[in-house]
Amino acid sequence: EAPGAVRQVGQNPAGTRTAFTYEQLVALENKFKSTRYLSVCERLNLALSLSLTETQVKIWFQNRRTKWKKQNPGADTSAPTAGGLVCTAQLPFLSSPAVLSPFMLTSQPYGAPAFYAPHL
């Protein structure tokens, strides 16, 4: 691939920089304003809503926290996580939201997360 070429989001082999869209950056920054640390479920939901991988969201937040700490030396860096242990997510292959628990996220074939439908 030519130097400086932009890859499509979601196709990021190790060592290649992700080119986030303006909309993705706005959403990531807005989420960062509300919480500097994401729960597993928040990260999953944000990644799904922005068509990014969970790893891309995780790394973006790590980098943004580093930038924030440099801009705010001496500030309180211990921010509580806003999310809980169980949340709902709209998965692209389901017609209704599924209830996800980080305790159920296991290695499945093709990287699909384990999920269960809520019993109402």
Side-chain angles (χ1 to χ4, degrees):
E1 186 169 285
V6 177
R7 286 185 171 269
Q8 280 196 306
V9 174
Q11 299 176 349
N12 185 16
T16 304
R17 186 179 179 104
T18 300
F20 295 102
T21 66
Y22 174 79
E23 290 79 14
Q24 289 169 332
L25 288 172
V26 168
L28 289 163
E29 284 289 347
N30 284 337
K31 188 66 174 176
F32 186 81
K33 285 178 187 174
S34 67
T35 181
R36 291 191 301 274
Y37 293 87
L38 296 178
S39 69
V40 173
C41 292
E42 287 173 313
R43 186 174 66 223
L44 173 64
N45 281 326
L46 191 56
L48 287 171
S49 70
L50 299 176
S51 300
L52 296 169
T53 66
E54 287 185 70
T55 301
Q56 288 171 317
V57 172
K58 181 182 79 170
I59 299 299
W60 187 91
F61 265 78
Q62 287 175 349
N63 291 338
R64 187 62 182 87
R65 281 193 300 271
T66 300
K67 178 180 177 181
W68 184 87
K69 288 174 188 176
K70 288 179 182 177
Q71 292 172 338
N72 300 279
D76 180 20
T77 58
S78 60
T81 303
L85 291 177
V86 176
C87 66
T88 60
Q90 181 62 52
L91 300 174
F93 48 87
L94 295 176
S95 58
S96 63
V99 175
L100 300 175
S101 168
F103 303 111
M104 296 184 64
L105 299 177
T106 59
S107 298
Q108 297 289 324
Y110 313 110
F115 64 90
Y116 63 96
H119 299 298
L120 301 176

